[in-house]
Amino acid sequence: HPKAIFTVMIVGTHGIRNAERLPGLGTSSCYCEVTRGGTPIHKTRTDDNSREPHWAEEFGVLEYEIGESLEFKVWDSNV
């Protein structure tokens, strides 16, 4: 089976719950982590103090097997 090569762009997200619940701590500082088969393949920069992070980052996916899953998770770097 031939393996695919393609580019992914992570633009951003909205509607993030503020994980910094105590007064004076600010808002979430989010990043997105992408995994393939449980192995991290990309992590965006951290967008500080934003509940609507905007990354606009591109990365290449090499040797992709048709049917493999890519998992995108958004995390708060302060938690």
Side-chain angles (χ1 to χ4, degrees):
H1 295 255
K3 297 186 179 194
I5 299 173
F6 59 92
T7 300
V8 173
M9 175 179 264
I10 301 175
V11 177
T13 188
H14 59 87
I16 299 292
R17 175 182 58 84
N18 187 11
E20 315 286 321
R21 293 187 179 183
L22 296 175
L25 291 181
T27 57
S28 297
S29 296
C30 299
Y31 64 92
C32 181
E33 181 179 70
V34 184
T35 59
R36 178 175 63 187
T39 302
I41 60 171
H42 184 78
K43 178 182 168 186
T44 66
R45 65 177 170 72
T46 300
D47 194 348
D48 292 325
N49 298 316
S50 176
R51 292 177 58 199
E52 297 196 7
H54 181 79
W55 298 291
E57 290 186 24
E58 289 186 356
F59 66 97
V61 178
L62 307 175
E63 298 186 11
Y64 175 79
E65 296 268 354
I66 303 301
E68 273 186 305
S69 294
L70 296 179
E71 186 170 8
F72 297 77
K73 290 185 179 180
V74 176
W75 300 97
D76 184 347
S77 66
N78 297 325
V79 177

